[in-house]
Amino acid sequence: MKTFYWCTGQDDNIGDIVLRRRYADELRKLGDLHIYVGSASPSFIAGMGFDVSDTQYTSAVLWLKQMLVPRVARRTLLAFNPGELQVGRKSAISTLVILPVQLWLRAWGGRCVRIGLATRGSDKLYEIPIRLSNALCDSVVWRDTESRKKWRVGQPGLDWAFDENMTSIGTSSGRTKLALTMRSDRPELSEDALKAISEVARRRGLNLVVFSQVKRDRAACQQLSKRLQCELLDWDERVGHLEQEALVRQLASESVGILSDRIHALIIGATEGAIPVGIVLSEDTKVRPHFDAAGLTRVSTDIRKMGYGDVLTFIEGVLARGPEISRKAIEARELVREMASTLVVALPIAARK
């Protein structure tokens, strides 16, 4: 059997590698893997950890053409890109382009799946191709709670990244740090929030460390570390994705908690045994739905209108739930593996013989 995997993401984001790599590992078990990587950088591709047996395509046309051969189509599984889909003109056009291929595969006994996806934005016109594409999929599984409500189709799931780690969850001994990273496209943390974060670290005898998981956040993280007068784990231009991921995971394994509004900084933290604390500087429509889907509830909130005392109480409250959250993180890993089982159900009939 051949699996055609649409695998493109934000090139400066470690989180986009982690979730797609985990999905690739699952798809590879089904047969030959044909991966569309688009214009991804060599460092991004190296971070994906592709196997030598995988076939990579930088041309979408060549990748799509492979599925149009009848003898290939009847034993083909098309796996759509996981992660986040921004509803708009670009996503509508790319979905329209692939709709005829979906129809072709169904006609010849092939299958299509969309597993581990969340959507952002709303536009009734641009949603039409996506709704048609969902209708042609044999399995649709969402990674957050809000997307399933919006599209009214598919099954609940969670982010693939919840099942990648290098440290045993629940290992708390030897953790001496409190790690922090924030989005660069949001307002800066208030002075009250910074004082609260510093106080949490002081009370617990922890060293504060600001880190970059997304390269475009570098300048904001550098400024944040200066404001807090604390250590910085930067993402140097000479450092590749795999090396930076290893550094971030090492930091998480040494940290009691990860404070962030980046979902994959929090997920990576959770998988490495740190307590995820979502401090959000906008309406909490992304962090909360993703962690709710994984069973990790009440770990994030919008802190824009909170003063020093409220921020301090919130952070301490989440950290105090460490054992409970660690158990939920272990359960989330098992939920990812259950989600992977939906691939077997969606296999082409010809591939089951």
Side-chain angles (χ1 to χ4, degrees):
M1 195 193 84
K2 295 181 184 292
T3 299
F4 287 79
Y5 178 25
W6 183 345
C7 181
T8 58
Q10 296 176 340
D11 207 89
D12 67 343
N13 190 338
I14 289 171
D16 276 30
I17 287 177
V18 175
L19 72 97
R20 287 169 177 82
R21 182 175 62 212
R22 176 63 182 85
Y23 193 22
D25 290 343
E26 206 62 46
L27 293 171
R28 193 174 292 111
K29 298 175 184 177
L30 306 178
D32 297 338
L33 194 53
H34 294 254
I35 308 166
Y36 172 58
V37 297
S39 58
S41 68
S43 178
F44 186 95
I45 291 172
M48 286 294 304
F50 293 136
D51 191 81
V52 292
S53 64
D54 299 336
T55 304
Q56 297 175 35
Y57 300 79
T58 56
S59 167
V61 173
L62 290 178
W63 179 72
L64 290 168
K65 281 178 66 177
Q66 302 302 311
M67 290 180 268
L68 298 180
V69 180
R71 61 182 174 80
V72 173
R74 64 189 298 269
R75 296 180 62 85
T76 285
L77 177 70
L78 168 60
F80 279 94
N81 204 13
E84 182 175 278
L85 186 148
Q86 185 72 40
V87 176
R89 184 173 182 272
K90 183 178 179 181
S91 62
I93 291 173
S94 61
T95 304
L96 277 171
V97 168
I98 210 167
L99 273 174
V101 178
Q102 283 188 265
L103 287 166
W104 172 264
L105 290 177
R106 287 189 69 87
W108 284 95
R111 293 290 186 266
C112 309
V113 294
R114 182 173 269 125
I115 301 177
L117 182 75
T119 63
R120 300 278 288 174
S122 181
D123 186 297
K124 289 185 178 180
L125 177 62
Y126 292 140
E127 287 172 10
I128 293 173
I130 300 168
R131 292 189 184 280
L132 290 173
S133 178
N134 284 340
L136 291 171
C137 283
D138 297 274
S139 180
V140 176
V141 182
W142 304 103
R143 73 174 189 175
D144 72 332
T145 54
E146 296 304 310
S147 295
R148 188 182 180 216
K149 291 178 185 177
K150 173 183 175 62
W151 298 96
R152 298 181 182 180
V153 67
Q155 301 300 316
L158 67 169
D159 195 289
W160 287 101
F162 275 104
D163 191 29
E164 281 235 341
N165 71 297
M166 69 177 193
T167 305
S168 296
I169 296 175
T171 304
S172 58
S173 60
R175 294 179 182 266
T176 60
K177 298 175 180 178
L178 184 66
L180 170 68
T181 190
M182 300 297 292
R183 300 178 66 99
S184 57
D185 57 354
R186 297 290 188 272
E188 291 185 342
L189 287 167
S190 67
E191 288 300 320
D192 276 351
L194 294 184
K195 289 177 183 177
I197 292 167
S198 296
E199 178 61 14
V200 170
R202 187 196 67 79
R203 287 183 180 184
R204 292 172 173 264
L206 302 172
N207 297 319
L208 263 176
V209 182
V210 172
F211 68 98
S212 293
Q213 174 233 307
V214 178
K215 193 167 282 187
R216 81 190 83 113
D217 293 342
R218 281 189 70 194
C221 288
Q222 290 166 359
Q223 180 62 26
L224 184 56
S225 70
K226 289 178 181 178
R227 293 178 69 196
L228 286 165
Q229 297 183 326
C230 70
E231 182 182 344
L232 171 68
L233 172 57
D234 199 3
W235 187 348
D236 190 276
E237 291 294 341
R238 297 165 294 181
V239 175
H241 291 71
L242 263 182
E243 184 180 351
Q244 185 68 11
E245 181 189 347
L247 292 171
V248 169
R249 287 190 180 279
Q250 182 62 39
L251 172 61
S253 72
E254 297 169 352
S255 299
V256 169
I258 301 286
L259 280 59
S260 186
D261 54 357
R262 285 272 181 202
I263 61 169
H264 286 103
L266 295 167
I267 291 173
I268 289 171
T271 62
E272 299 299 339
I275 306 305
V277 184
I279 48 173
V280 182
L281 296 169
S282 61
E283 188 177 351
D284 191 8
T285 58
K286 187 168 182 178
V287 176
R288 179 191 53 76
H290 281 80
F291 277 80
D292 282 357
L296 290 150
T297 59
R298 298 178 291 113
V299 299
S300 69
T301 194
D302 179 354
I303 66 168
R304 286 175 297 176
K305 296 181 180 180
M306 287 187 177
Y308 165 79
D310 289 337
V311 175
L312 180 64
T313 299
F314 172 72
I315 296 173
E316 287 285 14
V318 178
L319 292 178
R321 294 167 53 212
E324 170 208 340
I325 290 172
S326 292
R327 287 195 301 272
K328 291 294 185 181
I330 293 171
E331 291 171 9
R333 180 181 299 168
E334 295 305 315
L335 289 173
V336 170
R337 295 170 189 180
E338 289 178 19
M339 183 171 73
S341 67
T342 61
L343 286 168
V344 177
V345 177
L347 283 178
I349 295 173
R352 302 179 199 173
K353 297 177 180 179

